[in-house]
Amino acid sequence: MPFVFLVGNHSSGKSSFINYVMGRNVQTAGVAPTDDAFTIIAPGNMDKDQDGPALIGDPDLGFSNLRLFGPTLMQHTQLK
């Protein structure tokens, strides 16, 4: 599965771009900061939010090596 890493300044249109490409509201967009996490958007039949520890702890998802970067990264990662 390909990965795309999207970064940018605060309020530069990242969430709006993701919502446009996906054709639905996946990310909350707004003028004020809406989140401070790395968000992994994965394909699936239904929407599913999962916090970092659950995401990284699931060996079937393939992100368990992120555990090596410590709890701070784990707490700032989420799956949508």
Side-chain angles (χ1 to χ4, degrees), residues 26-44:
V26 176
Q27 288 289 94
T28 303
V31 177
T34 55
D35 64 46
D36 66 343
F38 292 100
T39 303
I40 298 167
I41 301 171

Side-chain angles (χ1 to χ4, degrees), residues 28-70:
T28 303
V31 177
T34 55
D35 64 46
D36 66 343
F38 292 100
T39 303
I40 298 167
I41 301 171
N45 295 332
M46 55 186 266
D47 290 345
K48 177 172 126 176
D49 290 350
Q50 201 168 30
D51 66 8
L55 167 68
I56 293 168
D58 187 339
D60 294 332
L61 294 176
F63 296 102
S64 57
N65 284 339
L66 292 177
R67 183 179 297 122
L68 301 172
F69 294 97

Side-chain angles (χ1 to χ4, degrees), residues 8-29:
N9 291 332
H10 160 70
S11 195
S12 62
K14 299 176 298 293
S15 294
S16 296
F17 175 76
I18 289 169
N19 292 339
Y20 176 78
V21 169
M22 299 296 293
R24 61 192 181 96
N25 288 333
V26 176
Q27 288 289 94
T28 303

